[in-house]
C-alpha cells in the first residue's frame, strides 16, 4: 500500500523506517510544520527516502520542504495518523482522519484521541466512506488486543481488564520489588526515560483510561445491531484513580499475603474504571517493568491473556503495520 | 456462512451449537458413519437443528439418517473439518479438505493431521482453489497464536515457543506444587478427565510436537517468496521428549532456585523441539493446570505472549469461529 504518515514522533518515524520491509511504500510524511511528498502522481509515485526523512527530522527539525497540507492531499491508499493524542475535539487528528475518509482512503490510527473522544463521529464518517479505520496501536502497542476482540466478535466479549500503562507499571513493580517509595522510583524512571518530565498523563491514569475508553467503545459499537443505538464513551465516562498515593507500606503488606498492586484498567458491564488494585503475585496481570498485559473475557473461550511491550516507537509501529496488513 | 461440519466429537458438536450465535448456519453435519443434511438447495437451504443433532449423537450415536458423503456434497460455503487427528497420510481429514477445495469452498480445520503431516500438499490444493484454508484451532485452541503470526507476517516472526499441551502441563504443575510423583498425578488427571486412559499422545509430547510442526510450516511457507522453495516439516522432523521421566526430585531441586519444569515446544532457526525445560517460576510460560501459553518473538515488537485454555470443545470451537469470521 502507498502510505501517508502524519506525525513524525517515535511512532511515525518507525512506520516510515519499517514500511518497506512490510511491502508498503511511503509516499508522504508530515509533521506539524513541514512535509515531504514523493514525486509523481497516481501509480507512478516513487516512495520517499525513509532514511533521508529521519535524518532531516533529527538534524533540521523538519521532515522536508513541502507543506503539511500537501501530505494530506497526496496519492496514498492509507493514512497513518500518528500525531500526539489530544483530548476533547481530538484535533488536529480528527480532521486528518475525516480528510482521508472523504477521499475514500483507509486510516490507521496510533493517536488515541479520535477513538477515545469522538468514536461516534468517527464511525459516522467511516460509514460514509469506502475507507476503513483501524487502531490496534492505540491499545497496548503491538499486543493483539483489538484484533483478538475483532476475531472473536465484540458481542462475544464480556469484559477486558489489564495493565495498560508501562510507566505506571514500572513504578509500581519497582516499588514492590525494591521496597522503595513512589517519589524515589519516579525520579529513577525519569532518569531512565521511562517516565516523562511531567508524568501526570501516565501516573494519574489518564493514558490507561483512554485505552479503556477505546475498548469500551469497541465493545459497545461492536455489540450494537445499529451504531445509532450504541452507547458512546469518552474520558468523562471513566472513573480514574492514579498511583501517586500508593504507599510503599501498602505494597509491603500486600506482599506478605502473596499479593501486589497494579494499576488496572477495566471495562465491564458498561463501566470504565482505572485504579490501583490488589492482584495475586502469580496473576498474569502482575507483569513487571514496562510490560503491559490484558485479559479478554470471552463467552465461549474463557479468559485469554496477552502481554508484551505496550509502548515504544517500533512496537507501536508494528501494530500500525498489523492493521495495514489486515487492510491489504 | 453456510457450514458443513465433519466430525461430531466435542469440537464439532460445539461448532454446531455455537454457529447460530455467530451468524452462521449449519447445513450439514457428519460423523464417521452418519450425516444429516438440511433440506433444500442453494440459497434456499434451511439449517439443521443443532439441538436435535447433538441429542441424536448422544442417544443413538449417529447425527442423522443421511450418508457421510452427502454432507461433503452439501451446499456449504465453508467446511469445518473436526475429525480426529491422524498421522502419516492424515486421512480421512485430508480428503475432506481437498473435496471442499475442489469445489472452491473454504476449509477451517480443527484436525491437526493435514497441516502437520501434509502441509505442502494442502497449500498446493489451496493454490488451485478459490477456497481458503485456515486452522487457528489446531494450535492452542482459542489463543490467538496463528492469527497474531499472520497479522505480523510470518517473515517477521523469528521463533515461537510455548506450553502447548494442557494434560502434560497439568501433570507437571501439580507435581511441582504438591511434591507428588508422576504416576500419582497422572492417575489423578485420568480420574478428572484431564488425561486419557491412554495418555501417550499427550505425555510423550506428540500432541505438542504436532502443534510445533504446524507453526514451523506456517513460518517456513509464510516467509518463502515461492511456496515451492519452502521447507516442509512433518512430525518426523521434530525432536521430541515427553514428561514420563521427569522426577519429582528434579522439580524439588528446580523449585529451590526459583525455577520449575514445563514441557516446552520450540520452533526456531528451522528446528522443532519438544522437551521438558527449566523455566523461571515467574516466567509467562510457567502457567498452571491445563492452561497453555505461547511466546511469539517478533522482529519489531519484541516478544508477545498469549495464554488461555488450549483445549476443550467450546474453546476450540471458538477458534474455528474466529477463522470463519476472518473468511466472511
Amino acid at each position: 500500500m502507498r502510505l501517508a504518515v502524519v506525525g513524525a514522533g517515535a511512532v511515525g518515524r518507525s512506520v516510515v523506517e519499517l514500511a518497506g520491509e512490510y511491502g508498503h511504500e511511503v509516499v508522504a510524511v508530515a509533521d506539524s510544520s513541514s512535509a515531504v511528498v514523493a514525486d509523481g502522481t497516481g501509480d507512478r509515485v516513487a516512495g520517499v527516502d525513509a532514511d533521508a526523512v529521519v535524518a532531516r527530522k533529527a538534524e533540521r527539525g523538519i521532515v522536508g520542504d513541502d507543506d503539511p497540507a500537501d501530505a494530506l492531499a497526496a496519492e496514498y491508499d492509507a493514512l497513518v495518523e500518528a500525531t500526539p493524542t489530544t483530548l476533547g475535539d481530538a484535533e488536529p487528528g480528527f480532521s486528518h482522519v475525516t480528510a482521508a475518509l472523504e477521499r475514500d482512503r483507509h486510516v490507521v490510527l496510533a493517536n488515541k484521541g479520535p477513538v477515545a473522544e469522538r468514536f461516534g463521529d468517527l464511525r459516522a464518517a467511516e460509514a460514509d466512506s469506502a475507507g476503513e479505520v483501524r487502531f490496534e496501536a492505540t491499545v497496548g502497542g503491538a499486543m493483539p488486543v483489538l484484533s483478538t476482540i475483532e476475531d472473536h466478535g465484540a458481542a462475544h466479549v464480556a469484559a477486558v481488564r489489564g495493565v495498560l500503562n508501562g510507566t505506571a507499571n514500572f513504578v509500581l513493580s519497582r516499588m514492590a520489588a525494591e521496597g522503595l517509595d513512589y517519589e524515589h522510583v519516579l525520579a529513577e524512571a525519569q532518569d531512565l526515560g521511562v517516565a516523562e518530565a511531567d508524568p501526570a498523563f501516565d501516573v494519574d491514569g489518564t493514558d490507561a483510561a483512554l485505552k479503556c475508553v477505546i475498548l469500551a467503545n469497541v465493545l459497545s459499537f461492536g455489540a450494537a445491531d445499529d451504531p445509532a443505538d450504541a452507547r458512546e464513551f469518552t474520558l468523562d465516562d471513566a472513573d480514574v484513580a492514579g498511583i501517586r498515593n500508593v504507599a510503599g507500606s501498602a505494597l509491603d503488606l500486600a506482599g506478605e499475603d502473596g499479593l501486589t498492586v497494579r494499576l488496572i484498567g477495566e471495562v465491564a458491564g458498561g463501566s470504565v474504571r482505572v485504579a490501583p488494585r490488589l492482584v495475586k503475585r502469580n496473576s498474569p496481570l502482575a507483569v513487571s517493568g514496562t510490560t503491559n498485559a490484558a485479559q479478554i473475557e470471552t463467552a465461549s473461550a474463557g479468559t485469554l491473556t496477552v502481554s508484551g511491550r505496550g509502548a515504544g516507537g517500533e512496537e507501536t509501529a508494528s501494530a500500525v503495520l498489523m492493521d495495514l496488513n489486515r487492510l491489504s
Side-chain angles (χ1 to χ4, degrees), chain A residues 64-121:
Chain A
D65 297 318
D66 295 321
D67 189 85
D70 298 337
L72 289 169
E75 284 302 321
Y76 58 82
D77 302 305
L79 181 81
V80 175
E81 221 295 333
T83 65
T85 295
T86 55
L87 306 183
D89 65 4
E91 293 291 4
F94 189 81
S95 292
H96 297 160
V97 174
T98 50
L101 289 175
E102 281 163 13
R103 294 176 63 203
D104 290 328
R105 309 298 160 95
H106 299 305
V107 178
V108 175
L109 284 157
N111 169 2
K112 290 181 273 292
V115 266
E117 295 286 66
R118 299 184 68 180
F119 199 83
D121 290 342

Side-chain angles (χ1 to χ4, degrees), chain A residues 177-322:
Chain A
E178 309 294 334
L180 300 169
D181 66 20
Y182 172 78
E183 296 298 340
H184 183 102
V185 177
L186 177 62
E188 182 189 63
Q190 287 169 324
D191 284 346
L192 290 169
V194 168
E196 307 275 341
D198 176 0
F201 195 64
D202 295 314
V203 299
D204 290 341
T206 313
D207 175 69
L210 286 170
K211 291 165 182 168
C212 288
V213 166
I214 294 167
L215 288 165
N217 281 322
V218 166
L219 296 188
S220 171
F221 281 72
D225 291 327
D226 180 346
D229 299 333
R231 175 172 167 202
E232 180 177 350
F233 293 80
T234 70
L235 189 57
D236 287 341
D237 299 303
D239 184 3
V240 187
I243 63 165
R244 287 186 203 257
N245 300 321
V246 176
S249 56
L251 288 166
D252 293 344
L253 269 175
E256 287 170 21
D257 285 329
L259 300 169
T260 188
V261 176
R262 289 294 183 270
L263 183 66
I264 302 293
E266 185 171 44
V267 179
S271 80
V272 177
R273 182 181 166 203
V274 175
R277 304 272 287 272
L278 286 167
V279 297
K280 288 187 184 160
R281 223 158 30 189
N282 63 356
S283 158
L285 295 184
V287 285
S288 292
T290 57
T291 303
N292 284 18
Q295 292 188 315
I296 300 164
E297 261 182 40
T298 69
S300 316
T303 299
L304 299 167
T305 305
V306 295
S307 64
R309 299 183 197 156
E314 277 209 11
E315 291 80 356
T316 308
S318 291
V320 168
L321 292 160
M322 286 169 71

